[in-house]
Amino acid sequence: MVEQFLKYIHTEKLFHSSQRILLAVSGGADSMLMLHLFTNAGFSVAVAHCNFGLRGGESDGDEQFVAEYCDKHNLAFYVKHFNTQDYAMEKGISIEMAARDLRYAWFDGLLSKHNLDLLATAHHQDDVIETFLINLSRGSGIKGLSGIQPKSGKIIRPMLFTNRTEILEYCQRLKIEFRTDSSNVDTVYKRNLIRQQILPLLEQVNPAFRRNAMKTVGNLHETGQLFQQRMSEIKTWVYSEDDQGAMIHIDKLLTLYPLRTILFELIREFGFQAEQVDDIIDSLTKESGRQFFSGEYRLVKDREYLLISPFLSKQDQVFYIEENCLKINYPIHLSLEIIDRKPDFRFSTHPNVADLDLDKVVFPLILRHWQEGEYFQPLGMTGMKKLSDFFVDEKYSIPDKENIWILASGNQPVWIVGKRLDDRFKITSITKHILRIRME
Amino acid sequence: MVEQFLKYIHTEKLFHSSQRILLAVSGGADSMLMLHLFTNAGFSVAVAHCNFGLRGGESDGDEQFVAEYCDKHNLAFYVKHFNTQDYAMEKGISIEMAARDLRYAWFDGLLSKHNLDLLATAHHQDDVIETFLINLSRGSGIKGLSGIQPKSGKIIRPMLFTNRTEILEYCQRLKIEFRTDSSNVDTVYKRNLIRQQILPLLEQVNPAFRRNAMKTVGNLHETGQLFQQRMSEIKTWVYSEDDQGAMIHIDKLLTLYPLRTILFELIREFGFQAEQVDDIIDSLTKESGRQFFSGEYRLVKDREYLLISPFLSKQDQVFYIEENCLKINYPIHLSLEIIDRKPDFRFSTHPNVADLDLDKVVFPLILRHWQEGEYFQPLGMTGMKKLSDFFVDEKYSIPDKENIWILASGNQPVWIVGKRLDDRFKITSITKHILRIRME
């Protein structure tokens, strides 16, 4: 095992023995064996442990276990506690993604702060194959299928020469202690399914399945590099950036194929989704003005170019609704209707419907997020109330508050959309025309 | 189903209704439904059926079934019997590959002969996913993983909008008759394993597995097109062809990465194997003269270039063995040893060992295939015998004969390698030095 390990580092040119390596150590068998192999080989290492606090006392036990090992072996030990759940909610991403983001950002900081050269993670061959199959099952591209490589940037994976079975055998033989992750999150369930049931069957299809799959992943990785070379050329030709944002030359773009993949590669870094690409392609030969939105960017189909520019910030977004507007689809779906007041008119009590006195509002109406220190007069109340107090009463979380839209007339809130009307714009006995706005 | 079928043809731009389509029809559910959909939609079609004779009477039953259907519906019907096994043995390829080669060559001929525009095969979504997993289990590249496309060259796959379950349901509902393939060849076994056991588990990993895997295959296909664009540029830069063969500029090649995939893409069309590529890369920075062989080509590492040139023909290959040569590795492995005759010397009777009287042979020895009309004197016989008669006595097949090597001294056979010595070169009481040649 030691020999294989050293040989792998050598043939893959992972690092020089003079370099200082930061080892990401969870306390599991994979990373504990990696730690053992590094220290026994006499390489210069430091240890980083992430405590995601996702498994309560068990997480703390892991931390203590790794800390004690490092103490005993005189190794620099860094630990950080992460509030994964909050970060995931805030960013609207999965716990898994959140943990990944937080972890690598911290590792990156550690490398520069402590003058370390590379980060080593304990990914092994089974991780590669499991990730391949999970990404395949999710729908993926070449990057997702060939993601875990021996070396990428400042990250090295020196355990890719071996697999889970060998790691466990070797740990047992050398009495290397490790902690077992009892978590039963979705990913773990899927990985167990692949490991225990799917892989054995794939080995019936071909006994050399693992080796061949590893070879395939390697081939895809190299193909991906050539694909990226081609994309760089294309980017140089059709794409440019300035202070305003980025622009893509439409006529040039239209001479290229396959359009779908090319366009997606050009705009994915701005957060646009693969599902939007067909619509954008569709707009290329249509009239100018169509807009597409990602989390933080707007893409506009202009005459010569696709123009991509950032929003100021999500919370600063403002949208205007003109008087003749019947419907808006972004950032939320609203339909507008003007109704002549009939004697038998009954206003709606549905929270998604606002019946307003048309003559009291000023166009264009403004759709925006709430502002600190802002007041409104909740329907049925005679006094004014701070929006922040209203939110407290309604027990809204930070993301809840950020996601709420305010429909305003001038600088007065008219409707906390989907929540509460402002009393000043309600229908009264003298209302002649009703503006009915419905959120869909 | 009909609607989906027509919509798929339309969105994928598979063909115009004015075009004439040749349908590959085995008689199974997939192709019988395809035939039904084409004729019902009123498209102009002809039918091709391959009889590989691999399942005896059952194969003939399939042929008759398709023939009768075409007769009843007044469709042009072409059929051909293939001797798959012979072809596979002759070419040294699998039955599956042989059937594929033969089938597509025949289809190609039919298209031009009968003025047909396109060939339609009945591949559906399950075929795509099964092929993906089989190629993954074998070790593959982007081509193997994204091979089955709606349209490639003159081949269209109009059934890719659907899957096996839907096809069987629809056949049952419409009482479309079909034949069931009872063959239990290796591929069928593997496909059943995937279909019945592996896919249901992958659907537990992600219920949308099939749809997502199809999406992934589509993504890989487009990525592969961009990869090919990059390879074309590289080829233009480092590669050239003339009457002698092809050449690759070594210094230019060495500036590129990833070298392994690039070099393999450049030489694979000459039949070189992925396994040879690392050795060739290794030779790039070494002295000139190293040679590598594929079935029909030789690649020589020269000073400035890798030179690729064809052999005259396999049967015309000639290799020379010099007196000081101890070992050759190509085209077969032979080791040579000179032994001083001792009184107790016993010549070997092993068929892979030839003990010859060194003073009777002339160097360089020649290693070549046999020639028509050639004679030798089999060990132990006093008269000459035609090699062709010897082969008949030994019941050799054509490929057997083609694969046999003759070691000759001048124009006299010395050893039918691995089979029989020539009596004229055997060790006698007066032999002083023995040339022992061993085939490994």
Side-chain angles (χ1 to χ4, degrees), chain A residues 66-228:
Chain A
V66 179
E68 279 168 9
Y69 184 100
C70 291
D71 192 44
K72 201 168 134 192
H73 292 79
N74 258 318
L75 300 171
F77 173 69
Y78 309 112
V79 63
K80 182 160 174 152
H81 291 238
F82 294 97
N83 196 333
T84 320
Q85 242 138 4
D86 278 5
Y87 182 83
M89 265 177 64
E90 202 177 304
K91 291 269 170 181
I93 55 180
S94 67
I95 293 278
E96 197 192 348
M97 287 275 281
R100 202 195 128 86
D101 283 7
L102 291 168
R103 185 165 65 219
Y104 282 100
W106 179 55
F107 290 151
D108 230 33
L110 283 180
L111 288 182
S112 35
K113 189 169 163 195
H114 299 288
N115 210 17
L116 293 150
D117 297 295
L118 296 165
L119 170 74
T121 66
H123 290 98
H124 51 70
Q125 292 178 0
D126 294 83
D127 292 323
V128 175
I129 294 169
E130 286 159 26
T131 302
F132 182 100
L133 290 173
I134 283 178
N135 284 341
L136 172 66
S137 78
R138 266 187 201 149
S140 179
I142 197 161
K143 224 173 152 180
L145 299 184
S146 62
I148 303 181
Q149 286 299 317
K151 190 165 186 175
S152 61
K154 292 212 158 205
I155 306 175
I156 56 173
R157 276 98 180 199
M159 302 300 281
L160 279 183
F161 71 94
T162 188
N163 57 45
R164 182 171 292 111
T165 314
E166 288 176 0
I167 288 173
L168 291 174
E169 276 173 15
Y170 197 77
C171 281
Q172 197 168 27
R173 189 136 50 87
L174 263 74
K175 302 198 168 37
I176 296 169
E177 288 177 54
F178 58 86
R179 302 265 301 176
T180 307
D181 184 342
S182 77
S183 74
N184 201 10
V185 292
D186 192 43
T187 338
V188 175
Y189 164 73
K190 285 178 179 173
R191 285 189 182 263
N192 282 336
L193 196 63
I194 291 174
R195 194 176 302 160
Q196 289 157 12
Q197 297 190 52
I198 298 176
L199 276 177
L201 287 168
L202 286 168
E203 282 177 330
Q204 279 183 42
V205 173
N206 191 319
F209 179 82
R210 281 158 199 262
R211 197 177 64 230
N212 293 341
M214 289 300 293
K215 213 191 288 174
T216 306
V217 170
N219 291 341
L220 287 181
H221 177 67
E222 294 204 354
T223 300
Q225 291 181 306
L226 287 153
F227 159 70
Q228 284 303 343

Side-chain angles (χ1 to χ4, degrees), chain A residues 370 391 394-405:
Chain A
W370 72 290
F391 293 147
E394 302 276 327
K395 300 203 172 54
Y396 286 177
S397 70
I398 294 178
D400 283 345
K401 287 189 280 182
E402 284 177 359
N403 288 329
I404 276 184
W405 290 95

Side-chain angles (χ1 to χ4, degrees), chain A residues 35-36 69 158 176 239 316 326 334-335 339 341 360 371 396 422 437:
Chain A
L35 178 52
H36 172 88
Y69 184 100
I176 296 169
Y239 176 98
D316 294 332
L326 295 175
L334 295 181
S335 64
I339 304 170
R341 174 71 174 274
K360 292 186 188 153
Q371 289 151 14
Y396 286 177
D422 187 294
I437 305 179

